[in-house]
Amino acid sequence: MKNVIAFTALAASLISGAAVAASTTELKVTGVIKPPACAATIAGGGTVDYGTIAVASLNKTSVTKLDTKEVPFSVSCDASAKVALKFTDNRASSKVTGLSPSLGFTDETAMMGLGAASGKKIGAYSVALKQGSFTADGASVDTLFTLNQGATWSKGTRSVFASSAWLSWGTTGTTTPVAAKTVSGTLAVTAIIDKPNNLVLTSDVPLDGSGTIEVVYL
């Protein structure tokens, strides 16, 4: 009987405690702050093709500057955004140095590698945003560059990609990157072949330049 009484008292105590327990529920506040997503596109699958280059067409005693190739280029975003572009040379170790004066400038970091064949570096090339060709949401814009990752901007006179530079666009006459959903224009690519006596020309010499254009959100 004592066991029964003790059990009954304990049960009453538990029931009494349950009756006064606090009732709670959780409130959650959710959402996502999502920046615009932008993608860069180069026409023709991103390939600039110089085709077949005859050995006889090369300068016999100096470097050979090939014709500038132009290719449509665009950046499209799902919402208006300020962006810049940076270029990474995927063949940097193959670059022949000292060729930039052939293009009228001296910044060696603006020259990219053209690959190598038979153990010989082939040459170099430059990539630029063609001045006057770009529009942002249909309005003409100036090309801009920064050497300090966007701290300050200047109007680009040549707008050539270089390892130390980011490129962007601003409303004509300004030096502030403009926000836009679509920017389109032309890339200008110029390749230079090293002197023939620095190459092995007894077999095919395929040009093998490769670079990555990255969109940077400002």
Side-chain angles (χ1 to χ4, degrees):
M1 185 65 178
K2 289 182 181 180
N3 289 338
V4 174
I5 294 172
F7 178 81
T8 304
L10 176 59
S13 175
L14 290 173
I15 294 171
S16 174
V20 299
S23 177
T24 64
T25 187
E26 181 182 5
L27 169 69
K28 293 183 178 181
V29 180
T30 64
V32 178
I33 299 174
K34 186 176 182 179
C38 301
T41 303
I42 304 173
T47 298
V48 177
D49 188 4
Y50 275 96
T52 300
I53 304 167
V55 171
S57 69
L58 301 179
N59 191 311
K60 292 180 174 55
T61 59
S62 184
V63 300
T64 301
K65 176 184 173 183
L66 302 180
D67 292 338
T68 296
K69 296 283 189 178
E70 297 185 350
V71 57
F73 173 80
S74 64
V75 177
S76 298
C77 306
D78 58 15
S80 188
K82 291 183 179 181
V83 300
L85 304 173
K86 62 184 294 188
F87 191 96
T88 300
D89 182 7
N90 300 330
R91 301 287 187 270
S93 63
S94 73
K95 178 177 67 177
V96 175
T97 59
L99 301 185
S100 58
S102 299
L103 297 181
F105 53 90
T106 58
D107 185 359
E108 196 63 43
T109 69
M111 303 301 291
M112 315 300 169
L114 264 181
S118 301
K120 302 292 185 179
K121 299 177 181 179
I122 299 168
Y125 68 98
S126 69
V127 186
L129 303 182
K130 184 180 179 182
Q131 283 283 10
S133 72
F134 278 87
T135 60
D137 291 340
S140 296
V141 287
D142 290 336
T143 53
L144 308 176
F145 74 92
T146 178
L147 300 178
N148 49 25
Q149 298 185 343
T152 58
W153 291 88
S154 302
K155 182 177 179 180
T157 56
R158 296 181 62 88
S159 301
V160 179
F161 281 109
S163 61
S164 58
W166 292 359
L167 304 182
S168 189
W169 308 268
T171 302
T172 302
T174 71
T175 55
T176 300
V178 65
K181 289 187 67 176
T182 303
V183 178
S184 58
T186 302
L187 291 181
V189 179
T190 307
I192 300 176
I193 307 300
D194 201 8
K195 299 175 183 179
N197 60 359
N198 290 335
L199 302 171
V200 176
L201 299 175
T202 55
S203 59
D204 289 353
V205 179
L207 305 189
D208 185 33
S210 172
T212 300
I213 296 176
E214 178 183 349
V215 176
V216 180
Y217 298 92
L218 301 176

